[in-house]
Amino acid sequence: MNQNLSSSIKLVTFKGVDQHDKWLKYGLGLHTSIEPFSGRIMWIRVWHSNRNPQLILSYYLDTLEKLGHMPMVTQSDPGSENFGIANAHTMLRQWHDPALQGTLQHRWMQSKKNVMPKDLKHFWTMVSCQAVLPHGVPNLIYQSAEDFGALDFKIKVEHEALDHVHNIYITPSHPVFDLVPCPFGDSIQRCYDELGHPLVTRHTVWEVYLRLLGMLHRDEIPHHIDELGNVEEDIDTLQLLEDHDELPYCEESDRTYYMGGVGGGLRLGIEHLNHLERLTHDEEPKITLSVDENDGLDHAGLVVWEFSDDSGSSDTSDADW
C-alpha cells in the first residue's frame, strides 16, 4: 500500500479548532471544532468572545467530558487563544501515556485559514490532494470507523485527568464566562424590577426592550458599556508548556504532510498498514441477485411486489396483507 495514501485512511488522530470573526462587529464570536476525516462537527459555539484561552479550552474539555474520549493530537492556527487547548491536551495525553513527556501533542496549521463546516472537504483536500475520505453520515463514520474501512485512534480519557487540567487552566469566576458583566446585569435587573416584571413574549419583547433601553440611557449605560470592552482587555495570555518539542513535520515531495499523532507524529506503522490491508480486502458477503418468483423476494434485500395495471381486477383482501 502506498505509504502516503495510507496515512490519510484513518480516523480521530486529531481535531481541528478555529474561530470565525465576521460576526464580531455584532458582538458575536463564533468558534468551531471539526474531526476532519469523518466530517463530524464537535462543537459550534457563539459567545461575546472567541479569543480567550480559558473559554476555548472549556469548549474542548466539555466535549471530552461528554464523549469520554480524546484524539491523539489537536490542531489550530498559532494564535495564543489556542494555547490552553495545546497545553491541556498535551497534559491529558501525557497523563495516559507518560512516554509522551517532552513533546507537545498539538499541531499548528502551516497557513492561516478559517475552517468552517461547509469548507471541510476543501480544507482536507488543501492539506492532501491524495486524501481518501469516506462517504456517509459523519456521526456514523466517527462512531464506527472500521465499518468505513478506517482505523480508529480515539483514546479513553479519565475524569480525574479532566478535573486536573480544568483546575489548572480554568477559573470559573473569570468574567469571560458571564453572558454580560455582572454590574451590567444587575443594572438591567433593577430596571426590570422597576418596570414591574412585565411578561416578555414575542408580542411584547420589543416594547419591553425599548423601555429597558430608555431607563439604561438615563444614567447607567455609558459606564457599563466601557466594562463590556474591558472583558477582552483583562485576558491573561497563557504561555506554552516549557521544554516541549513540537511533533515532527514531514512534508512530502508533492507538498502533502501527515497531521496525526500515530508513530510519534511520523505516520502509520507496519502494523497499522497491515490492519488497513485486511480492512481493504475483506470479502463482501456473497449475495445472490436473483429474484424468487414465488414470493417476490429479491435476495439482495429488496422486496418486489407485482402490481396489476388493472385497479379493479384485484381480489386481494386486507387479510392477505
Side-chain angles (χ1 to χ4, degrees):
M1 177 177 288
N2 179 278
Q3 175 80 1
N4 190 43
L5 178 63
S6 69
S7 68
S8 64
I9 311 179
K10 57 195 174 300
L11 180 67
V12 196
T13 61
F14 78 95
K15 288 186 177 71
V17 300
D18 201 8
Q19 74 274 357
H20 198 63
D21 296 341
K22 290 185 177 179
W23 294 349
L24 285 180
K25 62 182 178 181
Y26 305 113
L28 301 173
L30 174 65
H31 198 275
T32 186
S33 173
I34 300 172
E35 196 289 301
F37 184 83
S38 66
R40 187 181 193 273
I41 298 173
M42 309 310 292
W43 70 74
I44 295 181
R45 299 289 185 90
V46 178
W47 201 242
H48 55 74
S49 169
N50 61 4
R51 296 190 176 279
N52 186 294
Q54 291 196 45
L55 179 68
I56 305 308
L57 176 56
S58 73
Y59 298 159
Y60 181 60
L61 295 183
D62 288 348
T63 300
L64 297 192
E65 181 77 28
K66 184 181 301 183
L67 295 174
H69 59 253
M70 62 180 169
M72 298 188 77
V73 173
T74 48
Q75 177 172 305
S76 69
D77 66 69
S80 60
E81 69 273 8
N82 299 309
F83 287 3
I85 285 183
N87 289 354
H89 178 72
T90 297
M91 294 181 67
L92 288 172
R93 291 284 283 115
Q94 293 171 353
W95 177 289
H96 296 84
D97 185 358
L100 298 176
Q101 293 291 336
T103 304
L104 194 69
Q105 300 300 303
H106 184 92
R107 288 190 182 273
W108 307 107
M109 291 179 65
Q110 300 302 308
S111 61
K112 169 63 180 172
K113 180 175 177 65
N114 284 323
V115 183
M116 297 297 288
K118 67 182 180 63
D119 296 327
L120 173 65
K121 300 297 183 183
H122 171 71
F123 163 68
W124 186 272
T125 303
M126 175 187 68
V127 174
S128 174
C129 61
Q130 298 188 47
V132 178
L133 295 176
H135 296 283
V137 179
N139 283 357
L140 296 181
I141 300 171
Y142 182 85
Q143 294 166 5
S144 305
E146 294 197 356
D147 290 347
F148 294 85
L151 302 183
D152 193 338
F153 293 99
K154 293 193 288 283
I155 301 167
K156 185 177 181 180
V157 61
E158 298 177 6
H159 290 288
E160 185 180 358
L162 292 175
D163 291 341
H164 176 69
V165 297
H166 188 283
N167 292 335
I168 292 176
Y169 288 111
I170 293 182
T171 304
S173 60
H174 194 288
V176 75
F177 295 109
D178 297 328
L179 181 59
V180 296
C182 290
F184 185 55
D186 293 342
S187 295
I188 294 177
Q189 185 62 51
R190 284 195 298 270
C191 293
Y192 186 66
D193 293 342
E194 188 176 331
L195 287 176
H197 304 90
L199 181 65
V200 179
T201 68
R202 63 188 182 94
H203 300 292
T204 64
V205 61
W206 186 245
E207 178 185 354
V208 174
Y209 165 75
L210 290 177
R211 293 174 65 185
L212 285 172
L213 183 61
M215 298 176 71
L216 289 170
H217 269 301
R218 188 174 56 197
D219 54 9
E220 297 197 55
I221 194 169
H223 167 68
H224 294 302
I225 282 183
D226 289 341
E227 289 201 18
L228 277 169
N230 291 335
V231 172
E232 290 290 351
E233 294 175 7
D234 291 340
I235 292 175
D236 296 324
T237 302
L238 289 176
Q239 299 298 316
L240 285 175
L241 293 172
E242 296 182 354
D243 301 322
H244 276 65
D245 297 327
E246 294 190 3
L247 289 168
Y249 171 69
C250 303
E251 185 172 342
E252 304 291 341
S253 58
D254 59 1
R255 301 190 66 184
T256 61
Y257 62 92
Y258 179 65
M259 297 182 296
V262 180
L266 292 175
R267 65 183 61 245
L268 303 183
I270 296 299
E271 69 278 13
H272 302 120
L273 298 179
N274 291 338
H275 192 175
L276 281 172
E277 288 282 3
R278 291 194 295 272
L279 289 175
T280 303
H281 293 94
D282 277 348
E283 292 186 357
E284 296 289 336
K286 293 182 179 180
I287 299 174
T288 302
L289 297 180
S290 61
V291 177
D292 189 333
E293 295 180 355
N294 293 326
D295 57 14
L297 177 63
D298 181 334
H299 291 284
L302 174 65
V303 176
V304 181
W305 294 94
E306 294 185 1
F307 293 91
S308 169
D309 291 334
D310 184 358
S311 60
S313 64
S314 175
D315 295 329
T316 303
S317 66
D318 291 342
D320 293 330
W321 294 88

